[in-house]
């Protein structure tokens, strides 16, 4: 998903440098890096554009224990025609397939384009005897990397050498999400907008939770995906808001510079090297530590930012990364709710008031979801205000979501009940065969 392709860079330094030139521009200090990050992380723009990214686990319905290999998956994609909605297709480390949609002028066009692209993609995989399952975490198979890309090999080495090795492997190969990308909006409103995007996180996690299992077992958490992310290094995956939250650019710069460097490009070779000791990017930028025998360039800083995975990531626009992957029965209403709460002036103040008591309840949301009374109250207020402003095309989907939230149910409850009744392998196989991408 590349809002950047049609968004002017905010940083003068960034605008002055081509991609090749950035490889030769050495950072003079941590302060220079901080200024570069803060200047370019958000772009002053009107609200309205929405982009979607959707991940799905690839399964063999005839043998759901088996993880389809790289050659099988890429063979399907090799013959895939350009998708009608314009999405790009990529393959995650564990073989999950991702659709990255183009920015659309509004949430309904974004949903429609993604629907059309998903239908073509599912048909192509079905023709190859494979299926796509939209769950936040792989419920059946152990973590295993199938994508041979150099970035993912090096990431695997980085996590194996860290305290979050098990969580890192699960994050890379066993989780899937719905990502919602929205404009940063007018600069005067950035602080409030970034705060609300974060504050909505726990409530939206509770509403959208769709990952009760991992590796063949019930985890005891309604969003095992969020649990996995919560077990990661908070310097790389935690929320970015600082103490005041009134300057998103400064908060992001501080976060990025404290975060450890994951990967370093070798200037004399095309490969990547994992950094297997803790080196904050600030220390590299200040020359206190040399990686690859050198100080970092602007290209190194740009790449470092792609290795940080907070729940809300500023990339000139806002990437909202905390929703579990969900099938067609759920994701359009979930996406509409989130966008409405962020972009509709009639909803933002109500949403901010509703979620403030649970704005930092990330673990509670992932563990018990709507069984928490505060999250239940916030969720009901949020879906009600979103449904009140829903267009006719989504009225039925929003009504179903409102009813489910009122009953305290999340999407993963349906999956859990089927597993208990039919067994996990049979349930996953049925989901893989489904034309709706789930149950």
């Amino acid at each position: 998903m590349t809002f950047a392709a049609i968004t002017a860079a905010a940083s003068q330094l960034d605008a002055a440098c081509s991609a090749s030139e950035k490889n030769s521009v050495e950072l003079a200090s941590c302060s220079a890096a901080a200024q570069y990050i803060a200047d370019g992380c958000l772009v002053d723009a009107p609200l309205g554009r929405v982009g979607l990214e959707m991940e799905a686990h690839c399964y063999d319905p005839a043998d759901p224990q088996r993880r389809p290999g790289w050659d099988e998956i890429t063979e399907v994609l090799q013959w895939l025609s350009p998708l009608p909605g314009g999405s790009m297709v990529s393959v995650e480390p564990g073989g999950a397939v991702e659709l990255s949609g183009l920015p659309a002028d509004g949430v309904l066009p974004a949903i429609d384009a993604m629907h059309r692209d998903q239908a073509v993609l599912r048909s192509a995989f079905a023709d190859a005897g494979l299926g796509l399952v939209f769950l936040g975490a792989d419920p059946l198979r152990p973590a295993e990397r199938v994508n041979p890309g150099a970035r993912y090999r090096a990431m695997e080495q980085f996590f194996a050498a860290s305290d979050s090795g098990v969580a890192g492997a699960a994050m890379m190969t066993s989780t899937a999400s719905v990502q919602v990308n929205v404009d940063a909006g007018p600069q005067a409103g950035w602080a409030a907008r970034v705060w609300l995007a974060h504050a909505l996180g726990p409530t939206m996690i509770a509403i959208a939770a769709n990952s009760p299992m991992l590796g063949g077992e019930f985890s005891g958490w309604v969003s095992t995906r969020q649990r996995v992310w919560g077990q990661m290094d908070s310097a790389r995956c935690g929320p970015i808001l600082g103490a005041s939250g009134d300057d998103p650019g400064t908060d992001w710069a501080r976060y990025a510079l404290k975060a450890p460097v994951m990967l370093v490009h070798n200037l004399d070779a095309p490969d990547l090297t994992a950094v297997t000791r803790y080196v904050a990017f600030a220390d590299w930028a200040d020359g206190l530590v040399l990686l690859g025998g050198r100080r970092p360039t602007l290209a190194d800083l740009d790449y470092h930012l792609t290795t940080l995975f907070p729940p809300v990531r500023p990339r000139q626009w806002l990437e909202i990364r905390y929703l579990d992957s969900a099938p067609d029965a759920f994701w359009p209403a979930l996406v509409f709710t989130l966008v409405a709460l962020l972009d509709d002036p009639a909803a933002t103040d109500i949403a901010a008031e509703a979620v403030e008591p649970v704005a930092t309840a990330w673990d509670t949301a992932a563990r018990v979801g709507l069984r928490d009374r505060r999250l239940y109250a916030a969720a009901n207020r949020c879906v009600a205000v979103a449904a009140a402003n829903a267009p006719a095309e989504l009225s039925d989907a929003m009504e179903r979501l409102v009813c489910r939230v009122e009953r305290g149910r999340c999407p993963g409850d349906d999956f859990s009940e089927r597993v208990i009744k039919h067994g996990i392998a049979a349930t996953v196989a049925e989901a893989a065969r489904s034309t709706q991408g789930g149950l």
Side-chain angles (χ1 to χ4, degrees), residues 196 200 204 336-344 347-348 351 382 385-386:
L196 181 57
L200 283 167
M204 289 303 304
F336 177 81
T337 297
L338 179 57
V339 174
L341 297 178
L342 284 168
D343 284 7
D344 186 341
T348 53
C382 285
V385 71

Side-chain angles (χ1 to χ4, degrees), residues 141-144 155-175 214-215 224-225 227-233:
R141 304 169 300 194
E144 180 186 354
M155 285 178 68
E156 189 174 60
Q157 294 166 6
F158 172 87
F159 286 123
S162 74
D163 292 336
S164 56
V166 174
M171 178 274 286
M172 288 179 62
T173 69
S174 301
T175 62
L214 180 67
T224 308
R225 175 187 177 273
R227 182 194 185 193
V228 167
W229 284 90
Q231 292 172 322
M232 304 286 290
D233 182 358

Side-chain angles (χ1 to χ4, degrees), residues 18 53 137 182 195-196 206 245 256 260 347-348 358:
S18 68
E53 301 183 27
V182 294
W195 177 87
L196 181 57
T348 53
V358 290

Side-chain angles (χ1 to χ4, degrees), residues 246-434:
D246 58 4
D247 186 352
T250 298
D251 285 342
W252 179 227
R254 185 180 295 116
Y255 180 105
L257 294 174
K258 286 183 178 179
V261 181
M262 175 184 279
L263 310 173
V264 174
H265 284 90
N266 298 313
L267 296 183
D268 298 327
D271 57 336
L272 287 160
T273 299
V275 180
T276 55
R277 57 193 173 110
Y278 196 106
V279 178
F281 194 94
D283 291 342
W284 191 19
D286 278 335
L288 300 178
V289 178
L290 299 182
L291 297 175
R294 60 182 178 82
R295 293 175 68 146
T297 65
L298 279 180
D300 290 316
L301 178 53
D302 282 344
Y303 193 80
H304 173 65
L305 296 178
T306 73
T307 70
L308 307 180
F309 311 112
V312 180
R313 182 165 65 174
R315 294 192 62 191
Q316 300 183 5
W317 61 94
L318 296 179
E319 288 183 347
I320 301 175
R321 307 165 53 86
Y322 44 64
L323 298 180
D324 281 0
S325 183
D328 287 357
F330 299 106
W331 73 259
L334 297 171
V335 166
F336 177 81
T337 297
L338 179 57
V339 174
L341 297 178
L342 284 168
D343 284 7
D344 186 341
T348 53
D349 289 344
I350 296 172
E353 179 184 332
V355 302
E356 186 173 13
V358 290
T360 60
W362 299 91
D363 283 351
T364 301
R367 188 176 66 253
V368 299
L370 297 176
R371 294 199 300 272
D372 179 88
R373 60 177 180 80
R374 297 186 307 157
L375 286 164
Y376 176 82
N380 274 279
R381 289 192 66 188
C382 285
V383 296
V385 71
N389 296 285
E393 297 91 329
L394 290 176
S395 59
D396 289 345
M398 287 303 302
E399 183 178 348
R400 289 195 299 270
L401 181 63
V402 168
C403 290
R404 291 184 69 87
V405 172
E406 287 177 347
R407 293 163 57 201
R409 290 181 63 85
C410 63
D413 290 337
D414 292 356
F415 181 80
S416 296
E417 289 171 359
R418 288 181 178 267
V419 168
I420 292 169
K421 184 176 181 179
H422 301 291
I424 181 171
T427 301
V428 170
E430 182 183 351
R433 287 189 292 266
S434 169

Side-chain angles (χ1 to χ4, degrees), residues 16 25 50 121 149 235 253 332 375 424:
V25 178
V50 177
L121 191 69
L375 286 164
I424 181 171

